């Protein structure tokens, strides 16, 4: 698991650790780890051309000391003094190692950047807020031009400059890194888009902070974490003990949503699925998933009470938003069982927030950015730009767990606990119906006894892995990736789950 901490907590931990160490020790640990990663990225260190963009803070000092270490191994290192001052010790170490110092206005700088094998981004540290200033933005643009035009590797020091460390927000120009070397602990901005997309491949360098850090502000599950959560049936299991999920989904107009949600639930481990749906949608499900137990809806909306015993409910995919659909959602929410609300169910909740307000049983809302914007009466672009903030706001406003779907899925618990961020998302999931599959999968995990936080995180992780397997870029039959549909994600779910229990090297 990747645990991320708030900047204020990291600063306090650094101060506590530095009080017990000789001056400069922490920076030397960071610089040593940074230089080691950079050396591994170069074909060879001797003769390599390295440009260090050094801001005026400790982040710039880390970069300068790392540059000095590379220079002592024969690299040709040039540092650009990008701030109002340079870290004195780092600058002196670089000079002593044979490195050069220059200014942003140096007319030879664009050519030097374009010829560089590696650029170190030490412009701003984790305390930076807002976009890069004009001079910093100009240097970031030179790095980007070298990266795209000459294949120069850009390495961010602790965090790409221009990314908010606590939120991942990018409000202006920012560095696009190929690799980010972060120190002591993960930062939320490295886990959540748009910041995560700027970070490239991230490495964590241990500098001894762990004992001084409080509880994490955010976390990203790994395969071992998900494997520990997934239920495995025993010899005494039966379909009821494995979890029965009730699903209210589908309508005469939207027939596919029910089939996709049911498929996600069945391949997600549910022992039984009870579906409440319209006749046309039910007919599609009978053909695809004959094991589903179906109750056909009428005009009254009172079918939930007659569907049979379940351990959790999913309501929303393709069910419509008319009065009978509302009555079914109300009936589901009136139970004392865990409930996942998705799609059309979220539209109804956006109209009437009181439908979920004050509900005592566990509730999970699974919106995309547009749906969350409707729930919060917010701008969808703002939701996308500040995903963590808006997911937390919705969890607080509705008293529910919130799984915000998107390029990085963010899960905000109802109790205000640490955010969970899914690292397995892929662009192949941007296909119609994939959200219905995710809803069925998460609902199945709720029915099997996982709490809202666990079910949401495990489902998002498996959903992403399944899409990667289905697209052909990973899994038992890796190869060139190809377009997929939501049904392909369902088919790949068993392989994804198997990979959690039997991880490969």
């Amino acid at each position: 698991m990747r645990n991320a901490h708030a900047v204020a907590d990291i600063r306090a931990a650094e101060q506590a650790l530095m009080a017990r160490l000789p001056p400069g020790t922490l920076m030397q640990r960071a610089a040593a780890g940074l230089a080691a990663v950079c050396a591994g990225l170069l074909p060879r260190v001797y003769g390599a051309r390295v440009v260090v963009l050094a801001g005026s803070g400790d982040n710039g000092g880390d970069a300068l000391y790392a540059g000095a270490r590379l220079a002592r191994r024969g690299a040709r290192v040039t540092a650009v003094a990008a701030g109002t001052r340079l870290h004195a010790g780092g600058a002196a170490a670089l000079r002593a190692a044979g490195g050069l110092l220059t200014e942003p206005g140096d007319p030879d700088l664009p050519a030097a950047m374009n010829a560089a094998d590696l650029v170190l981004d030490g412009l701003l540290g984790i305390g930076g807020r807002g976009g890069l200033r004009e001079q910093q933005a100009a240097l970031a643009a030179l790095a980007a031009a070298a990266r795209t035009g000459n294949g120069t590797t850009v390495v961010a020091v602790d965090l790409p400059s221009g990314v908010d460390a606590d939120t991942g927000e990018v409000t202006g120009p920012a560095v696009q890194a190929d690799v980010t070397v972060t120190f002591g602990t993960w930062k939320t901005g490295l886990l959540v888009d748009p910041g995560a997309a700027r970070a490239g491949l991230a490495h964590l360098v241990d500098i001894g902070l762990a004992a001084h850090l409080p509880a994490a502000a955010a976390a990203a599950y790994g395969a071992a974490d998900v494997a520990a959560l997934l239920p495995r049936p025993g010899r005494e299991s039966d379909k009821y003990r494995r979890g029965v999920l009730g699903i209210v989904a589908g309508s005469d107009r939207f027939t596919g949503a029910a089939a996709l949600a049911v498929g996600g639930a069945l391949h997600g481990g549910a022992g039984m699925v009870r579906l409440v749906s319209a006749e046309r949608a039910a007919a599609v499900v009978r053909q695809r998933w004959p094991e589903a137990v179906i109750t056909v809806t009428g005009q009254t909306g009172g079918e939930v009470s007659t569907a049979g015993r379940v351990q959790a409910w999913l309501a929303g995919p393709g069910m419509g938003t008319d009065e009978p659909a509302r009555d079914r959602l109300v009936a589901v929410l009136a139970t004392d069982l865990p409930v996942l609300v998705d799609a059309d169910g979220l539209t109804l909740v956006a109209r009437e927030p009181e439908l979920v307000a004050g509900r005592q049983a566990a509730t999970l809302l699974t919106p995309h950015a547009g749906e969350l914007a409707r729930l919060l009466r917010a701008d969808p672009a703002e939701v996308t730009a500040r995903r963590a903030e808006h997911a937390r706001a919705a969890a607080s406003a509705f008293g529910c767990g919130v799984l915000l779907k998107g390029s990085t899925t963010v899960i905000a618990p109802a109790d205000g606990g640490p955010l969970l961020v899914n690292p397995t998302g892929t662009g192949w999931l941007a296909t119609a119906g994939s959200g219905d599959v995710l809803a069925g999968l998460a609902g199945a995990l709720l029915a099997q006894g996982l709490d809202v936080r666990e079910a949401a995180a495990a489902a998002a992780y498996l959903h992403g892995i399944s899409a990667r397997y289905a697209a052909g870029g990973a899994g038992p039959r890796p190869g060139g990736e190809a377009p997929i549909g939501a049904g392909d994600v369902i088919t790949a779910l068993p392989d994804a789950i198997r990979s959690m229990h039997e991880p490969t090297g």
Side-chain angles (χ1 to χ4, degrees), residues 6 18 76 115 130 137 149 165 168 185 361 370 448 493:
M18 285 189 292
R76 291 179 285 173
T185 184
Q448 291 173 82
L493 267 172

Side-chain angles (χ1 to χ4, degrees), residues 150-259:
N150 193 47
T152 298
T153 300
V154 177
V155 178
V157 181
D158 216 8
L159 186 84
S161 296
V163 172
D164 188 298
D166 279 339
T167 67
E169 185 179 0
V170 176
T171 58
V175 168
Q176 176 63 62
D178 297 293
V179 175
T180 296
V181 181
T182 197
F183 309 124
T185 184
W186 297 99
K187 286 75 184 175
T188 303
L190 294 175
L191 305 181
V192 180
D193 274 342
R198 294 276 182 172
L201 181 65
H203 291 264
L204 176 65
V205 171
D206 182 9
I207 58 173
L209 287 188
H212 302 276
L213 289 166
Y221 275 14
D225 305 302
V226 175
L229 295 175
L230 294 178
R232 301 189 73 170
R235 294 174 62 87
E236 301 302 316
S237 295
D238 58 31
K239 59 189 176 186
Y240 298 104
R241 292 177 183 176
R242 285 188 56 194
V244 181
L245 177 65
I247 297 180
V248 180
S251 60
D252 286 334
R253 181 182 178 191
F254 298 108
T255 59

Side-chain angles (χ1 to χ4, degrees), residues 35 137 139 145 154 160 175 197 199 219 225 233 292 319 342 350 389 403 439 466 476 489 491 493 502:
L139 291 172
V154 177
V175 168
D225 305 302
M319 74 177 190
D342 185 49
E389 174 186 331
L403 183 156
S466 298
V489 179
T491 302
L493 267 172
E502 300 173 1

